[in-house]
Amino acid sequence: MNVWVVDDDESIRWVLDRALRRDGLNVQSFPGAAELLDALDEQGPPDVLLSDIRMPGVDGLTLMQRVHTREPQLPIIIMTAHSDLDAAVAAYKGGAFEYLPKPFDVDAVAPLVRLSLIHISEPTRPLYIS
């Protein structure tokens, strides 16, 4: 399973990279939306995308909209250190699979990523993490 992480914070990218790889996932990280969009053109889509909401240049919600225009079924998990109700609502309305406020339990991210794939492949299956 290929997971892409886009966040302007290098430490977040590093932590997520280590946690997801430890769980057997392939990870590619990007410092911004432009780099991710270039990779999408060159490589095709990942299985799951994790994106920060606030980044210089193209923000996570705009990135999600652009990606979903091309890959409408791609599960996208939006992360933010600036959690508020308006941002959460905007993320879900924009098609986010999940909204993940920082700081988060890094050990819960890989199960959430796997859950997003189950939902895409079996949309009527109840969602829960055991």
mmCIF file of all heavy atoms in Angstrom, residues 7 12-13 28 40 46 65 69 71 76 87 96 99 101 103 123 125:
data_model
loop_
_atom_site.group_PDB
_atom_site.id
_atom_site.type_symbol
_atom_site.label_atom_id
_atom_site.label_comp_id
_atom_site.label_asym_id
_atom_site.label_seq_id
_atom_site.Cartn_x
_atom_site.Cartn_y
_atom_site.Cartn_z
ATOM 1 N N ASP A 7 3.143 17.722 4.115
ATOM 2 C CA ASP A 7 3.119 18.606 5.281
ATOM 3 C C ASP A 7 4.359 19.482 5.192
ATOM 4 O O ASP A 7 5.451 18.975 4.896
ATOM 5 C CB ASP A 7 3.129 17.782 6.574
ATOM 6 C CG ASP A 7 2.695 18.589 7.785
ATOM 7 O OD1 ASP A 7 3.268 19.684 8.007
ATOM 8 O OD2 ASP A 7 1.800 18.132 8.512
ATOM 9 N N ILE A 12 6.866 16.381 11.256
ATOM 10 C CA ILE A 12 5.631 15.600 11.083
ATOM 11 C C ILE A 12 5.827 14.566 9.986
ATOM 12 O O ILE A 12 5.439 13.401 10.121
ATOM 13 C CB ILE A 12 4.424 16.514 10.762
ATOM 14 C CG1 ILE A 12 4.107 17.430 11.939
ATOM 15 C CG2 ILE A 12 3.205 15.691 10.352
ATOM 16 C CD1 ILE A 12 3.568 16.730 13.165
ATOM 17 N N ARG A 13 6.429 14.986 8.875
ATOM 18 C CA ARG A 13 6.697 14.034 7.788
ATOM 19 C C ARG A 13 7.578 12.892 8.278
ATOM 20 O O ARG A 13 7.320 11.733 7.979
ATOM 21 C CB ARG A 13 7.361 14.739 6.593
ATOM 22 C CG ARG A 13 6.460 15.717 5.878
ATOM 23 C CD ARG A 13 7.021 16.179 4.535
ATOM 24 N NE ARG A 13 8.416 16.548 4.520
ATOM 25 C CZ ARG A 13 8.874 17.782 4.684
ATOM 26 N NH1 ARG A 13 8.020 18.792 4.913
ATOM 27 N NH2 ARG A 13 10.164 18.029 4.609
ATOM 28 N N GLN A 28 5.759 7.984 0.810
ATOM 29 C CA GLN A 28 6.460 9.031 0.078
ATOM 30 C C GLN A 28 5.991 10.351 0.679
ATOM 31 O O GLN A 28 4.783 10.564 0.843
ATOM 32 C CB GLN A 28 6.137 8.944 -1.408
ATOM 33 C CG GLN A 28 7.026 9.777 -2.268
ATOM 34 C CD GLN A 28 6.855 9.455 -3.748
ATOM 35 O OE1 GLN A 28 6.204 8.509 -4.136
ATOM 36 N NE2 GLN A 28 7.455 10.284 -4.582
ATOM 37 N N LEU A 40 1.973 13.233 -8.676
ATOM 38 C CA LEU A 40 0.714 12.656 -9.145
ATOM 39 C C LEU A 40 0.719 12.575 -10.680
ATOM 40 O O LEU A 40 0.301 11.561 -11.248
ATOM 41 C CB LEU A 40 -0.458 13.506 -8.648
ATOM 42 C CG LEU A 40 -1.857 12.967 -8.861
ATOM 43 C CD1 LEU A 40 -2.060 11.653 -8.121
ATOM 44 C CD2 LEU A 40 -2.879 13.989 -8.378
ATOM 45 N N PRO A 46 -1.475 7.643 -5.185
ATOM 46 C CA PRO A 46 -1.186 6.682 -4.127
ATOM 47 C C PRO A 46 -2.479 5.968 -3.745
ATOM 48 O O PRO A 46 -3.537 6.216 -4.337
ATOM 49 C CB PRO A 46 -0.701 7.575 -2.984
ATOM 50 C CG PRO A 46 -1.524 8.818 -3.154
ATOM 51 C CD PRO A 46 -1.642 8.998 -4.652
ATOM 52 N N GLN A 65 -9.279 19.257 -3.165
ATOM 53 C CA GLN A 65 -10.198 19.513 -4.275
ATOM 54 C C GLN A 65 -9.535 19.179 -5.614
ATOM 55 O O GLN A 65 -10.134 18.527 -6.476
ATOM 56 C CB GLN A 65 -10.644 20.974 -4.252
ATOM 57 C CG GLN A 65 -11.583 21.342 -5.361
ATOM 58 C CD GLN A 65 -11.921 22.828 -5.341
ATOM 59 O OE1 GLN A 65 -11.117 23.663 -4.925
ATOM 60 N NE2 GLN A 65 -13.107 23.154 -5.784
ATOM 61 N N THR A 69 -10.605 16.010 -8.076
ATOM 62 C CA THR A 69 -11.056 16.248 -9.445
ATOM 63 C C THR A 69 -10.513 15.153 -10.369
ATOM 64 O O THR A 69 -11.205 14.681 -11.257
ATOM 65 C CB THR A 69 -10.586 17.636 -9.935
ATOM 66 O OG1 THR A 69 -11.187 18.623 -9.102
ATOM 67 C CG2 THR A 69 -10.971 17.881 -11.376
ATOM 68 N N GLU A 71 -8.897 12.167 -9.071
ATOM 69 C CA GLU A 71 -8.987 10.862 -8.405
ATOM 70 C C GLU A 71 -10.097 10.924 -7.352
ATOM 71 O O GLU A 71 -9.832 11.001 -6.150
ATOM 72 C CB GLU A 71 -7.652 10.508 -7.736
ATOM 73 C CG GLU A 71 -6.462 10.496 -8.672
ATOM 74 C CD GLU A 71 -6.532 9.393 -9.712
ATOM 75 O OE1 GLU A 71 -7.225 8.378 -9.456
ATOM 76 O OE2 GLU A 71 -5.905 9.534 -10.767
ATOM 77 N N ILE A 76 -8.539 10.707 1.420
ATOM 78 C CA ILE A 76 -7.659 11.770 1.887
ATOM 79 C C ILE A 76 -7.963 12.043 3.350
ATOM 80 O O ILE A 76 -9.113 12.276 3.723
ATOM 81 C CB ILE A 76 -7.822 13.049 1.042
ATOM 82 C CG1 ILE A 76 -7.468 12.753 -0.425
ATOM 83 C CG2 ILE A 76 -6.962 14.180 1.607
ATOM 84 C CD1 ILE A 76 -7.662 13.923 -1.361
ATOM 85 N N ALA A 87 -13.045 24.391 10.058
ATOM 86 C CA ALA A 87 -12.085 23.636 9.242
ATOM 87 C C ALA A 87 -12.513 22.183 9.119
ATOM 88 O O ALA A 87 -12.399 21.587 8.040
ATOM 89 C CB ALA A 87 -10.686 23.741 9.846
ATOM 90 N N ALA A 96 -13.051 14.802 2.573
ATOM 91 C CA ALA A 96 -12.043 14.126 3.392
ATOM 92 C C ALA A 96 -12.607 12.847 4.000
ATOM 93 O O ALA A 96 -13.766 12.815 4.417
ATOM 94 C CB ALA A 96 -11.556 15.049 4.508
ATOM 95 N N TYR A 99 -10.634 13.692 9.518
ATOM 96 C CA TYR A 99 -10.034 14.944 9.948
ATOM 97 C C TYR A 99 -9.247 14.623 11.206
ATOM 98 O O TYR A 99 -9.818 14.161 12.188
ATOM 99 C CB TYR A 99 -11.150 15.955 10.220
ATOM 100 C CG TYR A 99 -10.699 17.321 10.641
ATOM 101 C CD1 TYR A 99 -10.260 18.248 9.705
ATOM 102 C CD2 TYR A 99 -10.735 17.697 11.972
ATOM 103 C CE1 TYR A 99 -9.872 19.516 10.089
ATOM 104 C CE2 TYR A 99 -10.347 18.969 12.365
ATOM 105 C CZ TYR A 99 -9.917 19.865 11.420
ATOM 106 O OH TYR A 99 -9.532 21.128 11.798
ATOM 107 N N PRO A 101 -6.859 16.002 14.073
ATOM 108 C CA PRO A 101 -6.213 17.133 14.743
ATOM 109 C C PRO A 101 -4.864 16.735 15.353
ATOM 110 O O PRO A 101 -4.708 15.644 15.882
ATOM 111 C CB PRO A 101 -7.201 17.537 15.832
ATOM 112 C CG PRO A 101 -8.237 16.479 15.900
ATOM 113 C CD PRO A 101 -8.054 15.549 14.758
ATOM 114 N N PRO A 103 -1.930 17.522 18.177
ATOM 115 C CA PRO A 103 -1.134 16.301 18.099
ATOM 116 C C PRO A 103 -2.043 15.080 18.097
ATOM 117 O O PRO A 103 -3.104 15.079 18.716
ATOM 118 C CB PRO A 103 -0.276 16.343 19.352
ATOM 119 C CG PRO A 103 -1.083 17.115 20.338
ATOM 120 C CD PRO A 103 -1.882 18.104 19.521
ATOM 121 N N PRO A 123 -17.712 0.170 0.665
ATOM 122 C CA PRO A 123 -18.340 1.359 1.240
ATOM 123 C C PRO A 123 -19.530 1.093 2.165
ATOM 124 O O PRO A 123 -19.891 1.958 2.945
ATOM 125 C CB PRO A 123 -18.770 2.177 0.024
ATOM 126 C CG PRO A 123 -18.652 1.287 -1.141
ATOM 127 C CD PRO A 123 -17.764 0.149 -0.785
ATOM 128 N N ARG A 125 -19.545 -1.399 4.384
ATOM 129 C CA ARG A 125 -19.052 -2.037 5.603
ATOM 130 C C ARG A 125 -18.988 -1.035 6.740
ATOM 131 O O ARG A 125 -18.494 0.094 6.555
ATOM 132 C CB ARG A 125 -17.671 -2.618 5.342
ATOM 133 C CG ARG A 125 -17.090 -3.351 6.513
ATOM 134 C CD ARG A 125 -15.776 -3.988 6.118
ATOM 135 N NE ARG A 125 -15.121 -4.553 7.283
ATOM 136 C CZ ARG A 125 -14.017 -5.238 7.243
ATOM 137 N NH1 ARG A 125 -13.420 -5.449 6.091
ATOM 138 N NH2 ARG A 125 -13.482 -5.706 8.336
#
